[in-house]
Amino acid sequence: MPSFALERLDFLTPGASDDLRDALRDASLLIQARRDRTEAAQDLFAAARADYGRLLGVLYSEGHYSAVINIRLDSREAADIAPLDAPTRIEAITVTVEPGPRFVFSRAAIAPLAPETELPEDYAAGQVARSGAIVDAAAAGVEGWRQAGHAKAAVGGQKITADHRATSLSADIALSPGPRVRFGEMTITGQERMRTRAIERIAGFPTGEVFDPDDLDLVTKRLRRTGVFRSASLTEAETLGPGDTLDVALVVAEEKRRRLGFGAEIGSFEGLTVSGYWLHRNLLGGGERLRVEGEVGGIGGESGGEDYRLGVRIDRPATFGPDTSAFTEAEVVKLTEEDFSAEALSFSFGVTRIFNERLTAELGVGFLFARVEDDAGSIDYRAMTLPTSLTWEGRDNALDPTRGLYVNAELTPFLGFSGTGTGARLWTDARGYLGFGADDRFVAAGRLQFGTVLGASIEDTPRDYLFYSGGAGTVRGQPYQSLGVNVLGGGTVRSGGRSFLGLSGELRADVTKNIGVVAFYDTGFVSAGELFGSGDWHAGAGLGLRYNTGIGPIRVDVATPVSGDTGDGVQLYIGIGQAF
């Protein structure tokens, strides 16, 4: 039975800086054992013997190559104790680390290097001779050759000499580039319902092309973004094939095919909005994504009545190349607003092009059928549309961003029939985030929304294409869609305008790990003319509370009008995720 009698643990680092002392203590298993109240002699003896290597690694990483380490267990050096002679009782442990001087590089050489190889700046003569700099330089050299097509590049040899009198280190790294390689064949395993040919089509593996490690990363990204796979990993063959070709093995694991989601938001004026979707990730075995989503809004609100939306969309990946998918979608809408009611059916088909991780474009052809009733009567809209969009996703976290930029720009030309106008609708939503303070405790967030209808008059523009301001998505503190224009029916009928500008700013602060507070100010402008012209402004401001969850923060905002004549009183908003 082990004895438990450790009375003292001294950890001495004479001559070490505070940062080095902290790094040594963090690496020590004996310190960790003491924190964990581990006192069994066998465990302490094992930790002491392991600490020599761990502490030496820290010292080398900081350029100390003449250090002296002593670890004494009841006055006996741990390294001198044979494993079979391990103590059965340890009362006192003294660790003494004398780091000695820091060494600098007298020589930092690596060759041969591929063109455009970037070596770490700290691997150079005169710099502190950290062991990590040598490792990083070797890795950079190998990666440089791999980027040039030499898949089997490796470190061929190294010569490292320490001069203790001069406290310097001479490092020579020899690289072995190997032959220039082309991609061979890709084998696939792990698929269950997904067809092998479909995986090959989506992956776009570049058989026959010069090796590039970035191409391997792109293959796995293409597979993961379909949502079909939980994981996708590539392993390079250990040896080259005929003609210096490199075969690759792909192993995939499929996600569950179906997914269900929901959302809810409530505003004191808009009422309750509930939404949900059902998703099938692999409808026909080729990665086809079917999404059915619905929304009911205005429940118990004062915005005119309940609104309904039901949409269906099918995406087929890699239809025109591995980065271009095809889609078909349809939507049925019934709106009951204060100023009008509408029923609409739209459907479209088109393509989505992914240029890189951040930039996506979409181009489609669509058809719109709508009937609108307001105080001026009833009107039918018929139009063919050409919806196009560009999206830049540069946020670090889409649900709770602290840094980055997001921009969505949409241009929808429409050709009207049967009295519907012809023109184009432009819409832009840009959001920026800047975190500061420790761990980005504070975040400044800004949003710009801009929209305009070109070519068509208000009377001839589909009502859903016009712009209002007010509510959770535009100006908090102002009632939902409270700012529009009065031009129809000689100024007696209210509608949305042809131009809109919205500006929002937030300052977010974390109070605890899960609780945050927000101060915000929103303003909006609506005009009857295209590209602005005369119009009206209104604004709102308020405070908010955020509670962080695993699916995004729960949002509670309280706001009041600060300018304009479209509302008064306090508005309350509750939802999931940041306001923008």
Side-chain angles (χ1 to χ4, degrees):
M1 183 175 179
S3 299
F4 301 92
L6 182 63
E7 297 179 356
R8 190 178 78 252
L9 171 61
D10 296 322
F11 198 98
L12 310 176
T13 56
S17 65
D18 291 343
D19 289 343
L20 179 58
R21 182 187 67 247
D22 292 343
L24 290 167
R25 291 180 64 89
D26 288 343
S28 172
L29 293 178
L30 284 170
I31 292 292
Q32 185 61 50
R34 186 61 165 171
R35 290 171 182 161
D36 295 342
R37 301 184 183 277
T38 300
E39 296 188 342
Q42 189 66 35
D43 294 338
L44 293 173
F45 176 59
R49 291 180 65 87
D51 263 3
Y52 287 105
R54 295 175 66 89
L55 298 176
L56 193 63
V58 171
L59 292 162
Y60 283 0
S61 71
E62 294 300 321
H64 298 273
Y65 294 93
S66 58
V68 177
I69 302 174
N70 295 113
I71 302 176
R72 291 186 169 85
L73 311 180
D74 292 330
S75 301
R76 299 173 64 192
E77 189 68 34
D80 297 335
I81 302 175
L84 296 179
D85 192 28
T88 58
R89 180 183 180 89
I90 299 175
E91 296 183 357
I93 300 175
T94 302
V95 180
T96 305
V97 181
E98 299 178 31
R102 260 186 170 181
F103 283 51
V104 297
F105 285 115
S106 59
R107 176 178 170 82
I110 180 170
L113 289 175
E116 301 182 6
T117 299
E118 294 185 8
L119 295 176
E121 294 181 357
D122 54 355
Y123 186 70
Q127 296 292 325
V128 175
R130 294 183 173 89
S131 61
I134 301 174
V135 174
D136 292 343
V142 169
E143 182 61 22
W145 281 113
R146 283 175 57 83
Q147 291 288 342
H150 298 257
K152 294 304 179 182
V155 174
Q158 58 184 5
K159 182 179 179 182
I160 300 174
T161 306
D163 186 335
H164 289 270
R165 287 185 298 179
T167 63
S168 64
L169 194 75
S170 174
D172 282 275
I173 301 173
L175 298 178
S176 177
R180 199 161 187 250
V181 171
R182 292 185 178 276
F183 284 112
E185 300 298 326
M186 181 179 70
T187 60
I188 305 172
T189 57
Q191 68 272 34
E192 298 175 10
R193 191 170 182 269
M194 189 76 170
R195 297 192 304 272
T196 300
R197 276 193 167 184
I199 296 175
E200 293 172 345
R201 186 187 73 242
I202 295 168
F205 184 74
T207 297
E209 296 184 13
V210 174
F211 173 85
D212 186 338
D214 294 339
D215 287 343
L216 297 180
D217 292 338
L218 184 56
V219 165
T220 55
K221 287 173 183 175
R222 286 168 176 160
L223 293 169
R224 292 191 189 107
R225 72 191 180 202
T226 65
V228 174
F229 302 104
R230 183 170 64 254
S231 65
S233 60
L234 288 169
T235 303
E236 300 173 21
E238 294 185 3
T239 58
L240 298 179
D244 293 332
T245 57
L246 179 67
D247 293 337
V248 171
L250 170 65
V251 180
V252 297
E254 294 183 9
E255 275 279 12
K256 294 181 179 179
R257 294 197 296 271
R258 299 171 184 85
R259 182 177 179 181
L260 189 67
F262 70 94
E265 185 167 334
I266 188 170
S268 53
F269 189 86
E270 296 99 309
L272 174 65
T273 298
V274 293
S275 60
Y277 71 87
W278 178 83
L279 176 70
H280 196 302
R281 293 187 172 97
N282 191 13
L283 185 64
L284 303 174
E288 301 86 0
R289 176 187 294 235
L290 170 64
R291 183 183 177 99
V292 180
E293 57 186 359
E295 179 181 284
V296 181
I299 303 172
E302 303 176 33
S303 56
E306 295 178 356
D307 301 331
Y308 302 90
R309 293 180 184 269
L310 177 65
V312 179
R313 174 165 171 144
I314 298 177
D315 288 89
R316 182 182 186 271
T319 302
F320 304 102
D323 297 312
T324 305
S325 60
F327 70 86
T328 301
E329 64 180 338
E331 184 179 55
V332 179
V333 178
K334 179 177 174 57
L335 302 177
T336 308
E337 308 294 353
E338 273 196 298
D339 305 320
F340 70 93
S341 61
E343 296 177 349
L345 167 66
S346 64
F347 63 91
S348 62
F349 57 91
V351 296
T352 302
R353 171 72 176 181
I354 299 175
F355 293 100
N356 54 48
E357 289 185 359
R358 301 194 183 279
L359 183 61
T360 303
E362 195 163 282
L363 172 64
V365 176
F367 299 90
L368 170 67
F369 306 91
R371 170 164 290 182
V372 175
E373 295 182 359
D374 57 22
D375 291 342
S378 175
I379 184 171
D380 292 333
Y381 293 99
R382 305 285 186 271
M384 184 178 75
T385 63
L386 189 67
T388 60
S389 68
L390 278 174
T391 301
W392 176 268
E393 176 57 272
R395 296 173 292 185
D396 58 350
N397 183 323
L399 290 177
D400 190 13
T402 59
R403 293 183 179 274
L405 182 67
Y406 168 87
V407 180
N408 173 245
E410 301 176 2
L411 177 64
T412 307
F414 55 92
L415 175 63
F417 302 97
S418 303
T420 303
T422 295
R425 184 182 193 268
L426 174 65
W427 172 252
T428 301
D429 184 356
R431 312 173 188 184
Y433 309 88
L434 178 62
F436 56 97
D439 297 322
D440 290 335
R441 180 185 175 190
F442 301 96
V443 176
R447 183 182 193 184
L448 166 67
Q449 299 178 85
F450 162 72
T452 189
V453 174
L454 305 171
S457 65
I458 286 182
E459 296 90 341
D460 297 336
T461 300
R463 190 61 58 90
D464 207 29
Y465 283 12
L466 299 176
F467 302 98
Y468 291 88
S469 183
T474 53
V475 179
R476 288 162 288 182
Q478 298 286 353
Y480 176 67
Q481 294 191 351
S482 57
L483 183 59
V485 298
N486 292 79
V487 297
L488 300 178
T492 61
V493 178
R494 186 172 172 277
S495 71
R498 286 201 291 168
S499 295
F500 168 73
L501 178 66
L503 298 169
S504 299
E506 288 193 350
L507 181 61
R508 305 168 183 170
D510 291 336
V511 178
T512 68
K513 182 179 179 180
N514 293 322
I515 297 176
V517 294
V518 176
F520 58 86
Y521 183 93
D522 303 332
T523 185
F525 170 84
V526 176
S527 169
E530 63 182 38
L531 295 176
F532 300 109
S534 62
D536 294 315
W537 289 87
H538 66 173
L543 300 173
L545 185 67
R546 305 289 185 266
Y547 181 79
N548 191 33
T549 68
I551 59 174
I554 295 176
R555 178 180 77 255
V556 179
D557 287 336
V558 178
T560 185
V562 294
S563 69
D565 57 4
T566 54
D568 54 33
V570 174
Q571 301 287 330
L572 174 67
Y573 308 92
I574 302 174
I576 299 175
Q578 296 287 0
F580 61 87

